[in-house]
Amino acid sequence: MKRRRGAAARGAARPLLLLPVQAALLIGLGGLVTGPAAHHWPLAVEDRVPRALAEYRDAPVLITVSEWLSALGSTVVVGLTLAALLALLRLPRVALRREALFLGAAVAAQSAVFVLVTAFVERPRPDLPRLDAAPPTSSFPSGHVGASLALYGGLAVIAALRLRGPWRPAVMAALLLVPPAVGLARVYRGMHYPSDIAGGLLNGAATLLITASVFLHGRHRSAPRPPHGPHLPAQAAAADARGGRTELVVPTVLVVRHPYGCPDDLAERLRAVLEGHGHPRREQRWIRTTAERPAGALAEELAARRPALVVACGGDGTLRACAELLAGSGIPLAVVPCGTGNLLARNLGLPLDPAAALDASLAGDSHLIDVGRVRGDGLAPTRFTVMAGAGFDAAMVKDASPRLKSRLGWAAYVLSALRHLRDPSVRLTIRVDGARARRRRARMVVIGNVGTLQGGLPLLPGARPDSGHLDVVLFDPRGQAGWLAAATHLLSRLLRRHPPLPAAAARTEAGGALEYFTATRVDVRCARPQPRELDGDPVSDGTRLTAWIEPGALRVQLPWTTAVREGEEERHGNSPTRTAAPRRAR
């Protein structure tokens, strides 16, 4: 047992080996900033920024504010970190030891990388009067900015994980605004160039990502306990202490639990939430999933009895497996996001904290949403709730390292995507609702029941889970200019928060890099076999995908909101056309 624990600890600490790589990359970046790139735009003109800001030093208010902001990233960070660690360790009834280790390690690791980088990179500070004493270190990267991002960014991560209520976003935003404000103050006071600030932000962000993967992600998993342990599912036969008799208890709630996404301590929190909503533990039957059976024994349980509720605790793959069995049954499904992407939960407006999502859903009402169904060569008819795709996105999903996914979450998909940026496009035909087949070239095809990806990126801006149709996008950027146009277009859509577009037969965007279709049935045929995926899970490669919609087939328990109900009324002609995606109740 000790050997296993030691091996697990060594495995969890492996991401820390990336810190020397981080330092080496920053040293290389510093060499570019002070060497070959120094005479090229924008570095060649960045000295104008501190000089321009220095012209406003006649304002006492700005001098005072910049002094305070600069102090937030100085050696006071050490004292504030210690105070934060003491507070985290002494909070009553809350176990925050891992969070405390994460915060302390982030600040310490950032400082170590900073000292190492400045030992190799020599960059003088701006040649103008400075308002602070210059420390004997290189101007690149900014130590103040890196330290402030490690501390206040780390506190923002902890706030995202632990705080509840509508004021959580405000706390996170306030903390995340501190590092860039410190950077602006340092430039104003003549201590750094903008590239130094960028280097400090990069150092702090990379350190947070590495230390979070060690101390926060996946650290709640525990080994299986003996069969009599309190974490196992409630049994159908339970002893009734009254009168010494044995009473047959029929479970009213079936909980499908991914053993890694929903570890034992989280399962206990979810049991308590179910109890608080009138489902005692003896009426809860917990079902573990396996790689071979992503819904566990749910099919057998449904054949034996009709539960009042099914709860799916896992990622989009677990939800898809449950939806496959529940579609058309009328049995409500509660979505508990415990996976890597959790795209269905994001698009339904659920909190991403599992216990909060379950509590809000049980306090709300059930609504009907659509599910998609897809088949193809080597792919039996299968339901999906989020997206089906072929090409670039499926290759990205297929090649994402399971180890990186367990450490970095959905960021592992970004690393996988970088390896496939040069994959060639494929010739294909697409037929929408039986119309004439269109010939196209594309790097990927995505057929969506919902449209928002991680980070709120609206890939399919018109897709809604209760629209009664599927949305399709063909993605085919041509060359670097095409990739830049597509990325800029999607990013601008995210930043400007454009309202979802009304349904349309077809349209193109980003100079033709994105082509959209709306249909109830879509047939895609590729010239050669392509990687394919369903709800973030890779399936067999093939050349064909045929997808169609099953309107209102799945009953989902959601927080109190009128968005989906308006969709149901719209189908009966009682509501105007909607342009907004489902939102969380306020």
Side-chain angles (χ1 to χ4, degrees):
M1 181 63 70
K2 290 182 179 179
R3 290 181 179 178
R4 290 181 181 177
R5 290 179 179 175
R10 289 191 297 272
R14 283 174 184 170
L16 292 177
L17 298 177
L18 293 174
L19 289 173
V21 178
Q22 173 186 333
L25 290 175
L26 282 171
I27 291 172
L29 187 59
L32 287 175
V33 169
T34 58
H39 303 292
H40 296 278
W41 190 90
L43 296 179
V45 296
E46 69 170 345
D47 63 323
R48 299 177 185 177
V49 177
R51 294 185 183 279
L53 293 177
E55 296 179 1
Y56 296 93
R57 289 183 182 174
D58 55 348
V61 174
L62 292 180
I63 294 177
T64 302
V65 171
S66 67
E67 182 179 5
W68 279 94
L69 289 174
S70 180
L72 290 177
S74 64
T75 53
V76 73
V77 166
V78 177
L80 292 177
T81 302
L82 293 176
L85 295 181
L86 291 175
L88 290 173
L89 294 173
R90 295 179 64 87
L91 281 176
R93 298 180 297 171
V94 180
L96 291 172
R97 291 183 179 86
R98 293 187 182 93
E99 285 80 354
L101 287 172
F102 155 68
L103 187 64
V107 175
Q110 181 281 143
S111 300
V113 171
F114 164 73
V115 171
L116 182 60
V117 173
T118 55
F120 287 87
V121 178
E122 296 183 2
R123 189 187 198 189
R125 299 183 183 275
D127 185 17
L128 72 163
R130 295 186 283 269
L131 298 182
D132 294 325
T137 56
S138 170
S139 181
F140 180 92
S142 171
H144 282 62
V145 173
S148 62
L149 184 55
L151 173 59
Y152 306 110
L155 291 174
V157 171
I158 296 173
L161 295 174
R162 289 292 187 170
L163 292 184
R164 301 291 179 267
W167 39 272
R168 178 174 63 174
V171 173
M172 294 173 56
L175 289 168
L176 291 175
L177 284 175
V178 173
V182 170
L184 181 61
R186 296 294 287 172
V187 175
Y188 172 81
R189 299 180 71 80
M191 305 305 297
H192 290 292
Y193 296 101
S195 57
D196 303 331
I197 306 303
L201 291 173
L202 180 61
N203 184 25
T207 305
L208 283 178
L209 184 63
I210 292 172
T211 52
S213 68
V214 173
F215 295 101
L216 299 183
H217 188 79
R219 297 291 288 175
H220 297 285
R221 302 175 186 172
S222 56
R225 298 180 184 176
H228 61 273
H231 71 291
L232 288 181
Q235 304 299 318
D240 185 1
R242 294 171 296 179
R245 297 173 297 176
T246 299
E247 176 187 8
L248 182 63
V249 178
V250 178
T252 60
V253 177
L254 299 178
V255 185
V256 180
R257 168 193 174 191
H258 193 290
Y260 298 109
C262 181
D264 292 343
D265 54 348
L266 175 57
E268 281 300 316
R269 292 170 57 200
L270 298 178
R271 286 189 185 91
V273 172
L274 286 168
E275 271 194 310
H277 285 274
H279 301 288
R281 297 196 177 206
R282 63 178 188 159
E283 297 181 8
Q284 305 173 24
R285 181 180 290 278
W286 286 66
I287 304 169
R288 284 178 179 261
T289 69
T290 64
E292 297 75 19
R293 305 190 70 188
L298 179 61
E300 292 84 347
E301 294 289 345
L302 292 175
R305 62 185 59 83
R306 181 183 176 87
L309 176 70
V310 173
V311 181
C313 306
D316 291 312
T318 302
L319 298 176
R320 178 173 61 84
C322 293
E324 178 72 42
L325 299 172
L326 293 175
S329 69
I331 300 173
L333 172 68
V335 177
V336 180
C338 300
T340 304
N342 302 316
L343 290 183
L344 182 60
R346 294 172 188 270
N347 281 270
L348 293 177
L350 290 170
L352 293 184
D353 175 79
L358 180 59
D359 183 58
S361 296
L362 296 181
D365 201 356
S366 63
H367 304 277
L368 296 177
I369 69 169
D370 310 331
V371 296
R373 202 165 193 188
V374 64
R375 69 166 181 254
D377 50 321
L379 180 62
T382 307
R383 291 185 173 94
F384 65 94
T385 61
V386 180
M387 297 175 186
F392 173 77
D393 68 317
M396 172 189 69
V397 168
K398 182 179 180 179
D399 291 347
S401 165
R403 179 176 296 179
L404 284 180
K405 286 196 292 185
S406 68
R407 301 297 182 195
L408 306 179
W410 63 266
Y413 293 124
V414 178
L415 299 178
S416 177
L418 295 176
R419 297 197 295 268
H420 292 280
L421 289 179
R422 294 183 177 271
D423 288 358
S425 59
V426 63
R427 289 184 292 107
L428 58 85
T429 61
I430 180 169
R431 187 187 302 271
V432 176
D433 286 336
R436 177 180 58 86
R438 296 174 169 90
R439 298 181 181 274
R440 297 288 189 272
R441 292 191 71 94
R443 291 177 180 267
M444 75 174 183
V445 182
V446 175
I447 305 169
N449 185 41
V450 297
T452 301
L453 304 180
Q454 287 90 350
L457 182 66
L459 178 64
L460 297 165
R464 286 180 56 96
D466 61 339
S467 63
H469 59 73
L470 295 169
D471 285 70
V472 187
V473 62
L474 301 182
F475 185 71
D476 189 29
R478 304 291 177 88
Q480 295 181 354
W483 279 103
L484 181 60
T488 303
H489 179 75
L490 293 174
L491 184 59
S492 66
R493 181 186 290 164
L494 171 65
L495 296 177
R496 297 178 184 177
R497 297 291 182 183
H498 291 304
L501 299 173
R507 67 181 186 278
T508 59
E509 297 179 7
L514 298 163
E515 185 173 9
Y516 291 94
F517 303 91
T518 300
T520 57
R521 182 184 178 92
V522 182
D523 294 277
V524 178
R525 296 199 174 203
C526 301
R528 61 177 184 273
Q530 295 293 299
R532 298 181 296 188
E533 59 90 10
L534 293 178
D535 287 355
D537 287 335
V539 295
S540 61
D541 293 3
T543 60
R544 299 198 308 272
L545 276 181
T546 298
W548 62 97
I549 194 72
E550 294 183 348
L554 185 64
R555 185 171 293 277
V556 180
Q557 195 74 19
L558 294 177
W560 188 256
T561 174
T562 59
V564 179
R565 284 190 173 181
E566 288 172 359
E568 295 172 357
E569 293 172 357
E570 179 187 330
R571 295 197 187 105
H572 295 87
N574 299 326
S575 174
T577 301
R578 291 162 294 123
T579 58
R583 59 187 181 278
R584 192 182 310 168
R586 295 184 179 180

